[in-house]
Amino acid sequence: MADFEVPVLREYPIIPKLKEGTMAHSSPYVAKAVMQEPLGFPGELLDNWKEVAIEKMGELCGKYRSLQVYLDSCVKCGACTDKCHYYLGTTDPKNMPVARQDLLRKVYRRYFTFAGKYFPKLVGAADLTEEVLDDWYSYFHQCSQCRRCSVFCPYGIDTAEISMAAREIMDAVGKGQKYCNEIIGKVFKIGNNLGLPEPALRDTLEGIEEDVEDDTGVKVRYPLDEKGAEVLLVTPSADFFAEPHVDGLIGYGKVFHEAGISWTLSSKASEAANFGMFIGSYENMRRVSMRIREAALELGVKRIVFGECGHAWRVAYSFLNTLAGPFDFLDPRYPVPQHICELTNGLIKEGKLKFDKSLNDDMKLTFHDSCNVARASRMGDKPGGQFVIPREIIKACCNHFYDMPADTIHESTYCCGGGGGLLTDDLMELRVKGAMPRMQALKTVVEEHGVTNLVAICAICKSQFAKTLPYYGFDMNSIVSLHQLVSNAIILSDAPKDDDENDDDGDDA
Ligand code: SF4
Ligand code: SF4
């Protein structure tokens, strides 16, 4: 099945022996000029790339003081070395977080520190060369910006931020990544990562409405561009058609329907994902975010709710108000923005949603904390809400839930292996190997409790697991959306009773 060695899942996790250079060949396709230029980057590697790169590094260290602090403060304690899923899965020492940071740090030291300028060898400083640039391109695209290493670093050094800076420097010299930059271009041109135009989106939503009515006997609506709706739902475009994502979208619609909340999707902001963050580009992140503000204003909504997408929630929770605010035109009684899990859980607590849990009894479930939700955002009004709220929803609509080992969930969760702009087939080996620690933890609950399904609230995690689960002997369909469970178990109060199931007289929402 694979033309590379798939890691073996063991009885218990081990720290692997180092194998130098084992992933040096792993590099994603480079973006062509047609993908670079619409984002404001040079079309190809500049002749004077070295000067531009050093200048950009200086600019970023001045602009983001955290970056300079991270580059200055590592004491080489080693606490982070075995914390990265890519190191554990690939055994390549350059995938140890401290070694990844050093790829940038050695150049920073050479050009921006006194010791590095005059005694480079003494302080591990190095010139910026083509070989270094190649290493940057390879290994900064072997970091999913998951922040796990930062949890264990006594100084809180965030390798994700260093990776973002490195990618921003590479874009500035004309060496961007095809997958991310092509997708950002599609969002600007069409509105979503998939390049799904408005008529196709409308058709898709109409098809979903028909399917749900056939299935439940209720006219649950999946509206597009409806002015005056209370809620604008911004969700990853994968939710519009791919399994298991679309089952989550069906669940959101049923929640809004049952709660009597009017809502709409937008053809302008038909994408929650914001790959501007993955490439470290504030300007592209801002441009992507502005579509949401414009759509909210044009549609006259009162609230903005985000669907299941990890990094989209990170951008929304942490940066949306700065990037595209102020949102003073929205209803101040609700958080701006709000996560669909916050909304659903609030309705459950108010007694507005009822479930028949037995409808999920064919599954024994565990929950994968997506790294961007777990370590780069929150939910609700209490610390740790991002861990509690999804689990409360699962337990409200399922009878059988088991957590994976404590050192692999919550703040210590392992990345799925496909985050940070790495969900591309040209990085399949990295994705499969990087998924190993999560697969190891899954194996534990499969063996101990007979777990059959893995729940996620991130489009990237869902897509990544659908591809990588089979490499480890699991069924690709065992990954499910959280709102798919909600959808399965929710009792629609206007559903026809069993004896008049064929009567299609359901009420409009
Ligand atoms: S941020 Fe995540 S992927 Fe990147 S080095 Fe740290 S643990 Fe590894
Ligand atoms: S844990 Fe922090 S200080 Fe220690 S080696 Fe890693 S990055 Fe450096």
Side-chain angles (χ1 to χ4, degrees):
M1 180 172 172
D3 53 4
F4 49 85
E5 213 175 313
V6 178
V8 176
L9 301 185
R10 302 177 187 277
E11 281 306 302
Y12 48 85
I14 57 154
I15 310 302
K17 284 197 182 129
L18 307 180
K19 280 193 205 146
E20 200 105 15
T22 188
M23 289 300 282
H25 62 278
S26 177
S27 277
Y29 295 137
V30 176
K32 296 194 172 107
V34 65
M35 299 156 197
Q36 287 280 100
E37 285 162 357
L39 277 57
F41 304 135
E44 57 186 30
L45 192 63
L46 297 167
D47 291 339
N48 62 339
W49 66 269
K50 196 169 144 182
E51 289 76 34
V52 174
I54 293 165
E55 196 185 325
K56 189 76 185 171
M57 187 182 280
E59 180 198 317
L60 295 182
C61 286
K63 199 155 70 170
Y64 308 125
R65 300 304 294 192
S66 52
L67 178 65
Q68 188 174 350
V69 170
Y70 295 154
L71 292 173
D72 279 332
S73 56
C74 174
V75 294
K76 301 289 186 287
C77 71
C80 64
T81 50
D82 58 350
K83 301 304 185 292
C84 177
H85 50 292
Y86 291 122
Y87 165 64
L88 295 172
T90 67
T91 71
D92 189 321
K94 284 187 181 161
N95 277 328
M96 290 177 165
V98 57
R100 195 184 317 284
Q101 296 163 19
D102 276 354
L103 295 175
L104 201 72
R105 186 176 283 123
K106 66 184 178 185
V107 177
Y108 163 76
R109 283 196 173 143
R110 181 74 180 95
Y111 298 98
F112 295 95
T113 66
F114 179 84
K117 278 180 192 161
Y118 297 102
F119 316 103
K121 288 209 172 109
L122 276 182
V123 293
D127 287 345
L128 179 55
T129 61
E130 271 182 43
E131 201 185 324
V132 170
L133 182 66
D134 288 346
D135 251 7
W136 282 5
Y137 194 73
S138 181
Y139 288 100
F140 285 117
H141 290 106
Q142 298 190 42
C143 169
S144 56
Q145 304 171 345
C146 78
R147 308 187 82 214
R148 188 170 196 269
C149 48
S150 72
V151 171
F152 298 89
C153 172
Y155 292 85
I157 295 173
D158 185 358
T159 319
E161 207 168 305
I162 293 174
S163 280
M164 288 171 193
R167 292 190 197 177
E168 189 169 5
I169 293 167
M170 290 188 280
D171 268 321
V173 301
K175 191 161 179 173
Q177 185 216 22
K178 173 180 183 278
Y179 173 64
C180 282
N181 293 3
E182 189 175 28
I183 277 183
I184 295 170
K186 277 190 206 159
V187 173
F188 292 151
K189 213 165 162 191
I190 300 168
N192 52 64
N193 287 8
L194 297 172
L196 196 67
E198 188 268 340
L201 179 53
R202 193 171 291 281
D203 274 2
T204 305
L205 295 171
E206 282 169 10
I208 291 174
E209 282 187 6
E210 284 165 21
D211 290 348
V212 172
E213 190 175 0
D214 286 349
D215 194 35
T216 63
V218 179
K219 282 190 180 174
V220 177
R221 302 206 51 226
Y222 293 84
L224 182 67
D225 293 335
E226 284 200 0
K227 289 198 173 180
E230 183 178 342
V231 168
L232 167 63
L233 180 82
V234 186
T235 205
S237 53
D239 280 1
F240 299 133
F241 71 96
E243 297 280 352
H245 314 251
V246 66
D247 301 301
L249 174 65
I250 290 171
Y252 316 151
K254 290 183 182 174
V255 168
F256 287 126
H257 174 91
E258 193 55 25
I261 299 171
S262 66
W263 67 291
T264 188
L265 292 153
S266 154
S267 54
K268 175 179 241 170
S270 52
E271 180 61 70
N274 192 330
F275 280 30
M277 188 184 74
F278 296 153
I279 62 167
S281 167
Y282 178 90
E283 184 48 28
N284 282 288
M285 202 158 63
R286 194 190 64 78
R287 276 177 72 192
V288 173
S289 296
M290 282 306 285
R291 294 154 36 259
I292 296 168
R293 178 188 177 85
E294 286 160 14
L297 279 168
E298 282 165 20
L299 294 167
V301 297
K302 303 265 187 305
R303 303 161 65 178
I304 300 174
V305 174
F306 272 72
E308 297 181 7
C309 183
H311 85 277
W313 182 238
R314 177 180 186 170
V315 176
Y317 178 88
S318 302
F319 312 125
L320 191 66
N321 283 281
T322 319
L323 291 166
F327 288 96
D328 46 3
F329 56 91
L330 297 175
D331 188 333
R333 289 176 299 164
Y334 300 98
V336 182
Q338 192 174 27
H339 195 282
I340 188 71
C341 286
E342 293 174 314
L343 182 135
T344 299
N345 200 42
L347 292 167
I348 293 172
K349 292 215 152 39
E350 288 170 36
K352 291 188 175 159
L353 304 180
K354 297 271 183 288
F355 299 102
D356 176 356
K357 292 188 186 193
S358 71
L359 293 170
N360 280 316
D361 273 354
D362 55 329
M363 291 183 268
K364 289 189 175 177
L365 298 141
T366 192
F367 180 66
H368 165 73
D369 292 281
S370 300
C371 40
N372 278 304
V373 178
R375 287 187 287 264
S377 66
R378 280 185 175 181
M379 277 184 207
D381 51 11
K382 293 193 187 81
Q386 71 273 33
F387 311 128
V388 173
I389 288 175
R391 286 173 172 81
E392 283 186 348
I393 300 174
I394 297 171
K395 287 175 188 168
C397 56
C398 304
N399 282 313
H400 308 294
F401 176 76
Y402 307 91
D403 254 323
M404 287 180 275
D407 58 344
T408 73
I409 58 169
H410 292 197
E411 204 179 31
S412 301
T413 188
Y414 279 111
C415 171
C416 63
L422 309 181
L423 190 79
T424 168
D425 284 354
D426 38 320
L427 292 176
M428 207 58 216
E429 177 181 358
L430 179 78
R431 288 169 52 190
V432 170
K433 291 181 172 176
M436 186 277 283
R438 172 48 75 222
M439 295 295 106
Q440 179 86 51
L442 176 62
K443 180 174 177 269
T444 307
V445 281
V446 168
E447 289 175 354
E448 284 179 7
H449 303 290
V451 160
T452 59
N453 292 84
L454 180 62
V455 190
I457 51 169
C458 171
I460 287 177
C461 298
K462 293 173 204 172
S463 300
Q464 159 75 352
F465 287 135
K467 273 256 170 99
T468 52
L469 281 162
Y471 285 88
Y472 292 94
F474 301 114
D475 180 357
M476 68 176 286
N477 297 313
S478 54
I479 174 72
V480 293
S481 296
L482 189 148
H483 275 79
Q484 177 177 353
L485 306 173
V486 172
S487 171
N488 292 346
I490 195 166
I491 298 170
L492 298 174
S493 43
D494 51 352
K497 303 293 171 232
D498 278 352
D499 53 357
D500 57 6
E501 235 173 19
N502 295 326
D503 178 359
D504 62 356
D505 249 4
D507 292 343
D508 281 342

